[in-house]
Amino acid sequence: MIFIKHESRELFIELEGLKQTRDELNIQWSELKSLENRWANPVRIEQLAKENLEMHKPNIESMRIYKKK
Amino acid sequence: MRRGAETREEISRRFVVRSFWVFGVFVFFSFFLVVRATYLQVLNKDFLIEQGNLRQIRDINIAAYRGTINDRNNKPLAISIPVDTISINPKKFNEDDIKMKQLSVLLGRDHEELIKLIKNSKSKSFLYIERKVSTNISDQIKLLNIANLDFKREYKRSYPAGEIISQLLGLTNIDEEGKEGVELQYDASLRGIPGVKRILKDKHNRHIENIKIIKSPKSGTDLTLSIDLRLQHIAHRALERAIIENKAYSGSVILVDAPRGEILAIANYPSYDNNETFSLNPDSMRNRAIIDMYEPGSSIKPFILARAIDSGLYDLASLIDTSPVKIGSRTIRDTRELGEVDLATVLMRSSNAGMSRIGLSLESDTLWEMMSDFGFGSYVTDGFPGESRGRLHHHTEWGEIGKATMSYGYGITVTPIQLAQAYSVIANNGLYTPLSLRKGLFNESKRVINEDTAKTLLSMLEKVVEDGTSKKAAVNGYRVGGKSGTAWKTSGSGGYSTDRYRSIFAGIAPIDDPRLVAVVFIEEPTGEFYYGGDVAAPVFSEIISQSLQLLSIPPQGFITKPDLVADNKND
């Protein structure tokens, strides 16, 4: 009985530890996701493309459309 | 020797007496111990266990994760980030700790003030030091190892797209309960259910062991909106630019995927960043596209014509007299008289007199019924907080003048989203497909007008852009159609103001196989132009041309840049 009680307590501690690891990974995941989307904000991308790379939106005259046969 | 003199008998008697005493003392103390033990273990057991638990065992809430709001391509629009809330028990807290200085620096707070705050709260047993501290800062604070500082895991809402889409998403309060917009509308499913866990603490209030989970926290459900963040960005930017260029006050844009009934973009100006909630201005928080109602002016005309054609009374060949209409003391006239023209020209030149004549010739009850079927006067979203129904008077309240003015968009109020819904009916060959803010939520369609009527209207709307009042709505490479509107704003003193306008454009693209409907409202342009065809139509053109490209809808052959001079200012 004492042995089982001890074992269950140890398993519980292990479970808690794993849950904590999971939570921490989740935290990192949501932080990274949020960060990614701040960096990938269309306003920012457009500004960078315009200012640093001198890019612009293609107008329709300069586009070629290819259709699948 | 005295001892030697004792007899054996005497010795044994003394031994008995001594044993008796020793035994008596033992019995006495044992008895005392038994009584004390009984008192503690039997009589007072429950009370003592309870008191012990009260001092050591705590049930604490585990914050639940609020569901993420994503756009249709799974880009997060609202996401909960873990943060730590730091609190103390001022009674037990030693604020003279040398590390307090580092704490204030990490929190970005004034050291003296923080100490003062704690000193002033000595009578309380709970005080927030700082709520919602980002985890990388709270990790540094944990390293300081300040005694009796409590950390609690919570979540904070973050909106990566910021002001681009803030009014639609809305806000949560500090406890992560939805308070505005979609956050409020879908709060029940987004919200998580907090759990409870039991923990053991030592006398310094340090968390030493988790005993068990009493209730697991349940995360909220993620929500996928029909919004496309890329198109939302396009709409937001085009609207902002037009408002600044035309020195306007406010505006709204809605972009809809008509066949699916999905809202792709919904932008408003002025806007705000819902990550920064310390300075909120209600004027920029309102989702005008859904909440505000406006008189639609000429942009309502296609729906009166829809009834006219659907009833069989009119067709493309019908000729309409556009000379001034006299009703009682009022005369409805156009700025330039057109004489007798066909239906398409009435719409193309936006003749108010012609529209009044057509409106007056239609039966009131069926006209009212159809206007209701288009969605006017009723809610069109599935419960967006604060949505307005607009106002469509019952036909028994119209009177002749009311019916005539309604035919060119006065005396009726609509929300921009209602107008988008109504134009979608024309785009969908006469089927009303309810608009939705959620992706893949197919609502049942119902027929409002015949397919032929819808086709006729589409061709008439195309003419408005080709040769009529809205040439600036044209999109190079695509066939588009639509109708502009310029409405006088009501003035505070009653009646209409003569120098404050509203510019509207509502349109459909591509005409061959309609996919997109866009509605643009711009309030009080005070620049060079104020007509819907000059102010709102270019916004439509910009949004539609970029959206069609992004959605890979191929052009139908290149056209040259049209001459951008609208020749009739009668809308």
Side-chain angles (χ1 to χ4, degrees), chain B residues 293-469:
Chain B
M293 46 187 197
Y294 308 97
E295 282 181 309
S298 302
S299 58
I300 202 82
K301 288 174 179 170
F303 308 104
I304 307 291
L305 291 177
R307 178 68 205 140
I309 300 167
D310 220 45
S311 66
L313 288 172
Y314 294 85
D315 58 33
L316 279 178
S318 310
L319 289 178
I320 317 293
D321 178 11
T322 62
S323 61
V325 183
K326 263 188 118 82
I327 302 168
S329 61
R330 285 189 60 176
T331 308
I332 298 165
R333 66 173 82 241
D334 298 333
T335 44
R336 190 165 63 182
E337 229 175 275
L338 303 166
E340 242 186 26
V341 293
D342 62 5
L343 274 191
T345 311
V346 169
L347 190 67
M348 201 165 80
R349 302 275 178 234
S350 206
S351 160
N352 290 348
M355 283 309 300
S356 301
R357 270 210 180 79
I358 296 169
L360 288 170
S361 70
L362 300 172
E363 279 175 20
S364 295
D365 51 347
T366 46
L367 178 60
W368 178 82
E369 213 169 283
M370 180 169 285
M371 294 297 275
S372 310
D373 286 348
F374 273 117
F376 297 118
S378 37
Y379 297 118
V380 296
T381 76
D382 41 2
F384 188 85
E387 178 181 3
S388 159
R389 286 209 299 194
R391 198 174 59 229
L392 172 66
H393 289 293
H394 193 257
H395 60 85
T396 51
E397 299 166 17
W398 285 351
E400 216 172 340
I401 186 76
K403 195 172 168 188
T405 54
M406 189 191 77
S407 305
Y408 58 93
Y410 289 91
I412 175 177
T413 57
V414 307
T415 57
I417 198 167
Q418 278 178 336
L419 209 57
Q421 175 75 75
Y423 273 84
S424 300
V425 174
I426 301 177
N428 284 343
N429 284 323
L431 288 177
Y432 180 104
T433 307
L435 292 184
S436 168
L437 272 171
R438 298 175 69 177
K439 186 187 177 187
L441 200 75
F442 293 105
N443 290 310
E444 209 150 298
S445 305
K446 73 174 194 270
R447 184 155 291 285
V448 177
I449 49 172
N450 292 318
E451 218 174 315
D452 289 343
T453 310
K455 290 222 159 79
T456 312
L457 284 168
L458 274 178
S459 70
M460 286 164 66
L461 289 172
E462 188 183 10
K463 278 214 180 92
V464 176
V465 176
E466 269 180 358
D467 313 304
T469 53

Side-chain angles (χ1 to χ4, degrees), chain B residues 100-234:
Chain B
M100 285 299 288
K101 215 156 200 151
Q102 285 164 277
L103 176 72
S104 340
V105 172
L106 281 172
L107 291 175
R109 298 260 294 259
D110 185 66
H111 181 60
E112 311 282 310
E113 254 172 55
L114 188 62
I115 300 294
K116 215 169 125 192
L117 177 72
I118 297 171
K119 283 202 166 129
N120 289 341
S121 315
K122 279 292 174 193
S123 59
K124 298 180 194 151
S125 53
F126 183 85
L127 176 73
Y128 280 127
I129 292 294
E130 188 82 62
R131 289 197 76 174
K132 316 235 163 183
V133 184
S134 77
T135 45
N136 57 14
I137 290 187
S138 74
D139 285 347
Q140 292 178 52
I141 294 175
K142 279 177 193 160
L143 289 178
L144 292 178
N145 223 349
I146 299 175
N148 286 326
L149 208 54
D150 265 349
F151 293 85
K152 192 175 161 223
R153 174 55 37 86
E154 287 187 315
Y155 294 96
K156 185 182 154 195
R157 229 33 182 166
S158 154
Y159 303 92
E163 59 165 23
I164 295 180
I165 190 171
S166 49
Q167 296 101 343
L168 181 72
L169 298 175
L171 285 174
T172 61
N173 61 10
I174 194 147
D175 294 317
E176 282 221 308
E177 294 159 343
K179 285 292 157 210
E180 296 262 354
V182 168
E183 293 272 29
L184 174 58
Q185 186 179 357
Y186 293 104
D187 191 45
S189 65
L190 285 170
R191 194 188 285 200
I193 304 165
V196 180
K197 76 175 166 186
R198 182 159 291 174
I199 59 162
L200 205 60
K201 287 192 159 186
D202 67 3
K203 73 168 192 180
H204 297 297
N205 214 20
R206 275 181 308 214
H207 178 169
I208 46 179
E209 194 188 334
N210 287 328
I211 299 174
K212 66 172 174 182
I213 303 281
I214 294 175
K215 200 174 93 185
S216 293
K218 201 168 162 280
S219 296
T221 318
D222 289 354
L223 175 69
T224 304
L225 295 184
S226 57
I227 298 292
D228 185 325
L229 188 57
R230 301 168 303 169
L231 302 180
Q232 176 75 27
H233 166 58
I234 290 171

